[in-house]
Amino acid sequence: MANANSAQAKTQFGYRRHPDQERSGANVAEHPVVVVGAGPVGLSLAIDLAQRGQRVVLLDDADRIGEGSRAICFSKRSLEFWDRLGVGDRMVEKGVVWSVGKIFHGASQLYQFNLLPEEGHKRPAFINLQQFYAEAYLVDRVEQLPEIDLRWRNKVIALESRNDGVALTIATPEGSYQVHASFVVACDGARSSLRQMVGAEFAGQVFEDQFLIADVKMTAAFPTERWFWFDPPFHAGRSALLHKQPDDIWRIDLQLNPDADPIAEKQPENVRPRIERMLGHDKFEFEWISLYKFQCRRMARFIHGRVIFAGDSAHQVSPFGARGANSGLEDAENLAWKLDRVLRRLSPESLLESYHIERSAAADENIRESTRSTDFMAPVTKQEARLRQAVLSLAEDTEFGKRMVNGGRLSVPSVYDTPLSSGDRDDWRGGPRPGASMLDAPLTEQGGGATYLTDVFIRQGTRFTLLEFGNGTAVDVPEGVGTIRVGGEGGLVDARGLAGKRYDAEPGTAYLLRPDGYVAARFRNAARPALDAALARASGLN
């Protein structure tokens, strides 16, 4: 079987002894942040913190980027986050861009959908990109940042919580050593050893149906779309999925019986006939084969003292809907700015509780959607099977039937439960509400150059930013808050009117954006006292 990682420039990294290993006793090294796990979430979190000026130790118990494509589907929101980290262009240039999905029942197409039907966004709805590429590009970025100390083959084997931080014991090929950290962030995956060390449960549901993943290399004329089948002729009674990846690699998911032998099913000689029936030919090679069960689980609390959990270590969902990696990246961008403010003593440590509140609610929503998808794709009872059949039959002729079909509803940005400010009246006709992520729009610089709102936001750095739609009078902003002005004297030009439309802008409309690009508050006429109150609330100062 071919090795999918062969296309990478660098996959394996050598262990290096660190000066921290020479220290012991009262001389143990002290670090502000230790991140455990160099997957997409841990790498992205470390980069975000480093760009905010924080020094980060990043530990991984392996010495290589993981094999196999694993997560492949990254959302527009993740790409905008990666733009802020300086790696978005590489991801999109390598990735396969798509927005159209098609749902089939048997041999017939039920309907198709477009996840980004409107123009004027810098990034597409989704790209397909093998996880090992994403990790490689993130590691390259890490190596450009002296604030990050990435240590391969460093495995945390013991953890002791203290009032002012955490003591870690770390095993290496040359023996173990200790470090102390003000905060530890566990990004060490679904089998998190740190979760076990703090004694936390991982509660939820494990579904019995199994799914076979086969990444195959072939030349095919299929469009770059997401195709999902219920009861296809080549795989009767089950579900199937087809996605294109870079390098002429195609991801195929096939639902198996709950009692299928996982060892036997993964053997290439047993997988090949299934793929041949699906494709109608044998002109392909295997790149990677795996098998998984749906799991929808999460920790009760994402914060245990000064140990914080993110990504799969905190929550796990089924892969259909691309909610796993994308929700983990949302964890990282939510946590980074809050942890930075706490470390700088700009906000109290209680601000971190908002990370748990917001991201655990997001995990609950993802688990609900994932569970509904699983129940529809793999009905357990006769009643569930009859309901699915009725819905699929209705979908052939009715719009409401199509809306009930669930082939893994795709990841969307989380919307947090955020208190409305006194300036948030009830007559908003649109625009992102407080707790929603900012919307992109095309703009024109005063000099005539084209840009996007998300790029202008990046130029504001790592701070709160006021997005204001000009009426000739500049808003008095609190110290340290950036400004983006659209319209008015000296402002960016909304030549196509899309920014104004997407933000339901009238003269004097303003949005206070958090450092992660989420709306903290919005105003029809922003006055300084209201801005101060919204900023204090979002910063955890009241």
Side-chain angles (χ1 to χ4, degrees):
M1 188 182 304
N3 182 353
N5 285 1
S6 61
Q8 292 176 248
K10 185 176 183 182
T11 63
Q12 193 156 359
F13 306 87
Y15 159 79
R16 293 196 298 269
R17 188 173 179 84
H18 193 276
D20 283 0
Q21 293 169 248
E22 312 299 334
R23 305 171 68 169
S24 61
N27 194 35
V28 168
E30 302 275 352
H31 298 285
V33 184
V34 172
V35 177
V36 182
V41 176
L43 288 162
S44 297
L45 175 65
I47 294 168
D48 199 345
L49 286 167
Q51 290 186 167
R52 297 175 190 278
Q54 297 295 340
R55 301 196 67 82
V56 182
V57 174
L58 178 56
L59 307 176
D60 197 275
D61 59 4
D63 63 352
R64 61 183 300 115
I65 288 171
E67 295 189 3
S69 60
R70 295 171 291 157
I72 65 165
C73 194
F74 296 102
S75 70
K76 178 176 179 288
R77 181 65 198 173
S78 294
L79 296 174
E80 290 169 348
F81 177 41
W82 279 339
D83 277 337
R84 300 202 300 271
L85 304 187
V87 295
D89 285 344
R90 291 190 75 184
M91 303 289 186
V92 175
E93 288 167 5
K94 184 63 180 179
V96 172
V97 173
W98 69 278
S99 61
V100 173
K102 292 178 179 177
I103 305 292
F104 300 87
H105 183 206
S108 302
Q109 180 179 320
L110 286 180
Y111 66 94
Q112 72 177 51
F113 57 86
N114 188 338
L115 293 166
L116 193 63
E118 61 182 14
E119 298 180 350
H121 294 264
K122 179 180 179 181
R123 292 310 184 196
F126 282 92
I127 63 166
N128 286 349
L129 180 71
Q130 295 94 323
Q131 183 173 324
F132 57 74
Y133 278 124
E135 290 180 357
Y137 300 158
L138 289 165
V139 169
D140 286 348
R141 179 64 179 137
V142 162
E143 292 177 344
Q144 296 171 352
L145 298 169
E147 295 86 355
I148 302 176
D149 182 358
L150 175 51
R151 305 179 189 179
W152 300 100
R153 297 187 71 184
N154 276 241
K155 179 181 176 61
V156 176
I157 57 173
L159 176 157
E160 179 187 350
S161 292
R162 301 180 174 184
N163 291 334
D164 61 347
V166 184
L168 297 176
T169 302
I170 302 164
T172 76
E174 297 181 340
S176 63
Y177 69 104
Q178 278 198 331
V179 298
H180 294 165
S182 297
F183 290 92
V184 171
V185 186
C187 304
D188 54 339
R191 297 184 179 87
S192 171
S193 59
L194 270 70
R195 189 176 60 238
Q196 298 172 17
M197 291 176 194
V198 301
E201 293 186 1
F202 205 38
Q205 186 176 2
V206 178
F207 296 87
E208 292 304 315
D209 277 77
Q210 303 179 90
F211 280 77
L212 177 74
I213 295 177
D215 281 357
V216 301
K217 186 175 182 64
M218 65 179 180
T219 302
F222 302 132
T224 54
E225 300 169 346
R226 180 186 191 265
W227 287 2
F228 188 94
W229 288 265
F230 293 100
D231 193 19
F234 54 81
H235 194 52
R238 297 289 166 181
S239 303
L241 177 71
L242 177 69
H243 254 214
K244 185 179 182 181
Q245 304 176 65
D247 307 324
D248 289 324
I249 306 298
W250 296 77
R251 160 69 60 83
I252 296 170
D253 290 61
L254 296 174
Q255 184 185 7
L256 303 177
N257 293 323
D259 57 356
D261 182 345
I263 296 176
E265 291 291 351
K266 286 195 295 185
Q267 300 305 311
E269 61 270 21
N270 294 327
V271 179
R272 179 166 285 276
R274 295 182 184 275
I275 307 302
E276 290 178 357
R277 285 196 299 271
M278 179 181 188
L279 301 176
H281 63 77
D282 61 357
K283 304 298 189 294
F284 62 85
E285 299 176 358
F286 288 119
E287 290 283 311
W288 185 58
I289 297 174
S290 186
L291 191 142
Y292 63 90
K293 287 186 176 182
F294 284 167
Q295 300 188 47
C296 294
R297 303 184 289 174
R298 81 166 180 90
M299 300 174 67
R301 283 194 54 79
F302 292 179
I303 299 178
H304 287 253
R306 290 201 168 188
V307 182
I308 306 170
F309 291 82
D312 283 352
S313 69
H315 48 78
Q316 188 177 14
V317 295
S318 65
F320 284 112
R323 294 174 180 272
N326 289 302
S327 65
L329 291 169
E330 286 191 44
D331 290 348
E333 70 166 358
N334 186 292
L335 177 59
W337 71 271
K338 296 174 181 177
L339 189 54
D340 173 62
R341 287 188 65 90
V342 170
L343 288 165
R344 293 182 185 279
R345 302 183 186 276
L346 298 174
S347 292
E349 192 171 334
S350 58
L351 176 64
L352 297 176
E353 182 65 16
S354 71
Y355 164 76
H356 163 71
I357 292 171
E358 292 180 344
R359 294 311 302 160
S360 64
D364 286 340
E365 176 63 20
N366 284 321
I367 287 172
R368 280 194 296 271
E369 287 296 334
S370 186
T371 300
R372 289 168 185 158
S373 298
T374 304
D375 288 341
F376 193 86
M377 286 188 283
V380 176
T381 67
K382 292 181 179 180
Q383 291 84 353
E384 289 175 342
R386 283 197 294 267
L387 175 62
R388 187 181 85 163
Q389 186 58 42
V391 168
L392 292 173
S393 298
L394 284 169
E396 295 176 4
D397 303 307
T398 68
E399 289 301 318
F400 80 87
K402 291 179 175 61
R403 291 194 295 270
M404 294 173 67
V405 174
N406 194 331
R409 289 177 180 152
L410 276 298
S411 174
V412 295
S414 300
V415 178
Y416 305 132
D417 185 11
T418 301
L420 301 181
S421 70
S422 59
D424 198 327
R425 303 186 323 214
D426 294 331
D427 63 350
W428 291 82
R429 298 174 299 273
R433 55 151 290 161
S437 60
M438 66 180 293
L439 302 175
D440 201 8
L443 296 167
T444 304
E445 307 271 11
Q446 281 292 317
T451 188
Y452 285 92
L453 181 55
T454 50
D455 282 340
V456 180
F457 178 74
I458 290 171
R459 297 204 296 265
Q460 295 300 310
T462 59
R463 55 187 173 170
F464 282 85
T465 299
L466 188 71
L467 168 62
E468 53 179 322
F469 291 83
N471 62 351
T473 303
V475 178
D476 178 26
V477 299
E479 183 180 358
V481 174
T483 58
I484 299 173
R485 188 171 178 81
V486 179
E489 184 178 354
L492 295 155
V493 179
D494 184 18
R496 297 170 60 183
L498 291 177
K501 180 180 179 181
R502 288 172 187 169
Y503 285 86
D504 189 24
E506 302 171 355
T509 294
Y511 287 74
L512 179 62
L513 303 177
R514 304 188 326 188
D516 58 358
Y518 271 75
V519 176
R522 61 183 177 177
F523 314 90
R524 283 305 188 193
N525 288 284
R528 179 60 184 269
L531 277 174
D532 286 339
L535 181 62
R537 183 172 60 248
S539 303
L541 296 174
N542 66 4

